[in-house]
């Protein structure tokens, strides 16, 4: 894994200093059902998305479901990109998890938006693995936050 | 992919009706550095975690980094489980993304907490792919929320 914590937060306030990972959780709606159901297209788009972020691909798995739907993951030296498609709903769930200052997950997000022909989307952004001591965590019960 | 939306929300208020996916984003801190750096152990723990949730494994990729750290993904018929480890910080980032009412990602979370010897953790829970019409999304710019 890339060892350097992310120093350049995108909010300009240093809020993200010390985070090891940067994750975009993306919902793409109104996508082309045909594109969402072609494993060759999804695989190619995901590998291109990884390349667009600046990442190095180290492994991949794609699976085609019967009667429809595709799941796929590209493992990169800087974490992973994952996709699950529901062609019947024109919907795809995507995660772009990257590490290091040199990788820009938004470039992968942009590429996939075009490749899936999404007409609506939602992006949630997270910084993961903060090295500062955590407070408020319970040792025996998960801290759950519903979003 | 499992086609049935999740009907039984865990808040008892029906808030999660209509969501296609259920995702736990987990940070495990204070883990055993030795365990986080053994690819055989991580692979075995992730496959056991998938089994604990009730999922069916359809593919996997694990990668060992030099000098240390492991990335791995288990693709399941009900989405995926992913892990990235930083043994030098005793930290692992895990995602458990499942679909369908029959699968319980918290069982995978519990198993991994033990297998990684985590002494602190944080869990964030999401319901993904809501079928209801979305409002407030901008067509040309991602809606970004910093967590």
């Amino acid at each position: 894994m890339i060892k350097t914590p992310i120093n350049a937060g995108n909010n300009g306030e240093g809020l993200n200093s010390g985070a090891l990972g940067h994750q975009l959780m993306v919902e793409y709606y109104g996508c082309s059902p045909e594109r969402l159901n072609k494993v060759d297209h999804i695989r190619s788009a995901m590998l291109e998305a990884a390349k667009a972020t600046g990442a190095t691909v180290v492994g991949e798995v794609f699976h085609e479901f019967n009667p429809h739907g595709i799941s796929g993951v590209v493992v990169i030296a800087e974490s992973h990109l994952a996709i699950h498609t529901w062609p019947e709903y024109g919907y795809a769930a995507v995660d772009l998890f990257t590490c290091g200052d040199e990788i820009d997950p938004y470039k992968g997000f942009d590429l996939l938006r075009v490749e899936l022909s999404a007409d609506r989307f939602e992006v949630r952004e997270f910084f993961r693995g903060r090295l500062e001591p955590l407070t408020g965590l319970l040792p025996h019960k998960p801290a759950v936050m519903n979003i």
Side-chain angles (χ1 to χ4, degrees), chain A:
Chain A
M1 302 297 300
I2 299 295
K3 297 299 177 306
T4 315
I6 295 163
N7 292 313
N10 68 355
N11 59 8
E13 295 170 8
L15 182 63
N16 310 316
S17 281
L20 291 168
H22 184 194
Q23 184 163 357
L24 303 185
M25 182 184 282
V26 187
E27 325 298 321
Y28 292 107
Y29 294 98
C31 302
S32 156
E34 291 73 24
R35 291 186 175 204
L36 292 188
N37 208 29
K38 282 185 186 155
V39 69
D40 289 348
H41 179 74
I42 294 296
R43 178 177 174 273
S44 160
M46 289 292 282
L47 291 169
E48 281 299 310
K51 190 175 168 187
T53 68
T56 302
V57 174
V58 299
E60 56 169 289
V61 184
F62 285 84
H63 185 82
E64 199 169 1
F65 291 92
N66 184 5
H68 37 56
I70 290 159
S71 283
V73 180
V74 178
V75 178
I76 56 179
E78 304 83 0
S79 296
H80 77 271
L81 281 63
I83 189 167
H84 303 288
T85 77
W86 280 261
E88 68 275 38
Y89 297 128
Y91 166 71
V94 170
D95 287 272
L96 301 109
F97 187 159
T98 63
C99 304
D101 284 339
E102 304 301 313
I103 308 298
D104 182 358
Y106 279 104
K107 291 187 176 164
F109 159 76
D110 284 337
L111 187 141
L112 288 172
R113 181 169 56 83
V114 173
E115 291 297 332
L116 304 179
S117 300
D119 67 13
R120 302 190 307 285
F121 49 82
E122 183 184 10
V123 181
R124 288 179 280 197
E125 181 175 42
F126 305 90
F127 291 90
R128 301 189 61 176
R130 295 178 189 275
L131 300 180
E132 297 88 348
L134 293 171
T135 56
L137 298 183
L138 305 176
H140 300 300
K141 197 175 170 188
V144 173
M145 179 167 64
N146 277 293
I147 300 286

